[in-house]
Amino acid sequence: MPLQLNIRRVQPADIPQIVAVERASFTDPWDERTLQESLACYPETFFVAKNNGDVAGFVAGGVEDTGEEVYGHIMNLAVASGYRRQGVGEHLVRRLEQEYLILGASAVQLEVRVTNTGAQEFYRRLGYREVFQVAAYYANEEDALVMMKWFRF
């Protein structure tokens, strides 16, 4: 049966299901409080993909205004295991990028583990490029690769 995805802004009632997806997706998941804080700080750029009431995935974004430029920041993206490789992550990223364009962002950035080649390839397919590496970015001291996508030059 094809997915019937509904992508919308996260509501507080979505957080428990999002926590479950987060815990199943990462070795060092965000806790419920961090997800709630993300929703409180950036309610306009925190989206959930639902399929028949199930959380298929989510993306948490932030906005950074340097005074000269506005940047979007993909802070967290996870897709529930039963929904992976079906376009859910791409739909979520595209919806977030659309919001960033509305907010006047000139680019979007994200961090990904240097060992997470699958995620790096996913983002490359969506137009993101590596810009630099950050040493010991993650709790386990693993380096992060910073990737960006520019909307205008």
Side-chain angles (χ1 to χ4, degrees):
M1 187 164 109
L3 294 179
Q4 299 292 317
L5 282 185
N6 174 28
I7 297 178
R8 61 165 172 75
R9 287 185 175 89
V10 168
Q11 299 164 358
D14 298 319
I15 295 291
Q17 275 189 292
I18 288 172
V19 168
V21 171
E22 175 76 1
R23 285 185 181 146
S25 299
F26 299 109
T27 55
D28 58 345
W30 285 11
D31 60 19
E32 185 169 348
R33 181 174 177 204
T34 302
L35 289 158
Q36 289 171 337
E37 288 172 357
S38 183
L39 179 57
C41 291
Y42 302 108
E44 70 282 356
T45 54
F46 196 168
F47 293 96
V48 63
K50 295 194 107 177
N51 182 62
N52 296 323
D54 290 339
V55 170
F58 70 91
V59 63
V63 178
E64 299 165 15
D65 187 341
T66 67
E68 293 182 15
E69 295 278 349
V70 175
Y71 295 103
H73 186 183
I74 299 176
M75 303 184 302
N76 197 338
L77 170 67
V79 176
S81 60
Y83 291 99
R84 292 184 185 147
R85 300 198 178 278
Q86 297 180 57
V88 175
E90 181 175 347
H91 283 295
L92 284 163
V93 170
R94 298 268 188 234
R95 177 61 186 92
L96 182 57
E97 288 173 350
Q98 179 183 37
E99 196 63 31
Y100 286 143
L101 281 167
I102 291 167
L103 295 170
S106 58
V108 181
Q109 73 175 45
L110 60 93
E111 298 82 27
V112 61
R113 291 178 181 276
V114 293
T115 57
N116 193 344
T117 55
Q120 292 167 34
E121 186 54 39
F122 166 79
Y123 286 116
R124 273 190 213 99
R125 283 194 313 271
L126 297 180
Y128 290 78
R129 299 293 173 251
E130 301 87 351
V131 287
F132 57 88
Q133 216 166 298
V134 179
Y137 180 82
Y138 292 98
N140 69 349
E141 301 291 308
E142 185 174 351
D143 294 353
L145 190 59
V146 176
M147 300 180 80
M148 291 188 75
K149 178 178 182 177
W150 289 265
F151 295 132
R152 38 181 119 66
F153 300 97

